[in-house]
């Protein structure tokens, strides 16, 4: 089937994963607050890894992991989150999440915040996914009470 092979070679889009992001949201902040968290579910059609996140509202975005450590919940930056093919990975309060640091302005409930996710495939090829995250009220359960930055 030489034709099929040729067609595959001519379709560079096949090199990239289909990525689905659902329910992206960010916690609202009070004035002067410099830190917030972003949460969502991500699924990728091919094995990939979330390696970087950017947002125009934050000086820097870190990927964090929350875990129990000797009975205390702590969070720490991690270099990335694995996205096994076809599996939905939840970034949520209490687990992996994105940490928006050095916020440039207040995030108000009802608005939306652009996030750029950078995914890296096994062959090190990178693709970006643009996401608009809804800002939800401060009282949405999350992890501010653990925030020791
Ligand atoms: Cu965090």
């Amino acid at each position: 089937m030489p034709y099929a092979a040729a067609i595959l070679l001519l379709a560079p889009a096949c090199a990239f994963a289909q990525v689905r992001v659902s329910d992206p949201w960010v916690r609202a902040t009070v004035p002067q607050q410099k830190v917030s968290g972003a949460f969502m579910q991500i699924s990728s059609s091919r094995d990939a890894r979330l390696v970087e996140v950017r947002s125009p509202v934050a000086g820097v975005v870190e990927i964090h992991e929350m875990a129990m450590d000797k009975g205390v919940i702590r969070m720490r930056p991690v270099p990335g989150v694995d996205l096994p093919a076809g599996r939905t990975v939840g970034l949520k309060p209490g687990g992996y999440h994105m940490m928006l640091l050095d916020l440039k302005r207040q995030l108000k409930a009802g608005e939306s915040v652009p996030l750029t996710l950078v995914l890296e495939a096994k062959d090190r090829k990178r693709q970006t996914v643009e996401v608009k995250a809804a800002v939800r009220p401060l009282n949405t359960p999350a992890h501010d009470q653990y925030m020791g930055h």
Side-chain angles (χ1 to χ4, degrees):
M1 293 278 284
Y3 293 113
I7 288 164
L8 283 175
L9 287 173
L10 287 170
C14 292
F16 294 104
Q18 301 288 317
V19 179
R20 214 178 58 215
V21 174
S22 49
D23 198 26
W25 67 280
V26 173
R27 289 195 80 200
T29 60
V30 295
Q32 313 309 324
Q33 188 180 335
K34 288 292 180 201
V35 178
S36 187
F39 314 94
M40 65 195 64
Q41 275 113 50
I42 309 175
S43 73
S44 169
S45 62
R46 308 177 73 188
D47 284 340
R49 188 171 164 81
L50 174 68
V51 292
E52 192 184 332
V53 183
R54 297 189 287 259
S55 176
V57 302
V60 102
V61 183
E62 292 182 350
I63 302 165
H64 278 190
E65 175 185 51
M66 250 168 91
M68 280 296 240
D69 177 19
K70 301 186 183 93
V72 181
I73 297 171
R74 295 182 194 280
M75 60 182 186
R76 62 189 174 97
V78 290
V81 177
D82 284 328
L83 305 170
R87 216 168 74 200
T88 300
V89 175
L91 280 75
K92 53 183 187 284
Y96 286 114
H97 56 276
M98 299 165 189
M99 207 80 193
L100 281 64
L101 305 173
D102 192 18
L103 286 176
K104 295 176 178 162
R105 59 175 177 82
Q106 184 182 9
L107 307 178
K108 293 183 178 152
E111 67 169 331
S112 72
V113 166
L115 296 169
T116 302
L117 317 186
V118 182
L119 272 60
E120 189 175 276
K122 286 242 161 78
D123 59 8
R124 303 222 150 227
K125 280 210 180 78
R126 290 188 167 200
Q127 74 184 98
T128 58
V129 180
E130 302 294 335
V131 172
K132 282 230 184 292
V135 180
R136 293 198 185 153
L138 274 174
N139 56 12
T140 308
H143 70 307
D144 271 6
Q145 61 267 40
Y146 308 116
M147 234 140 50
H149 294 284

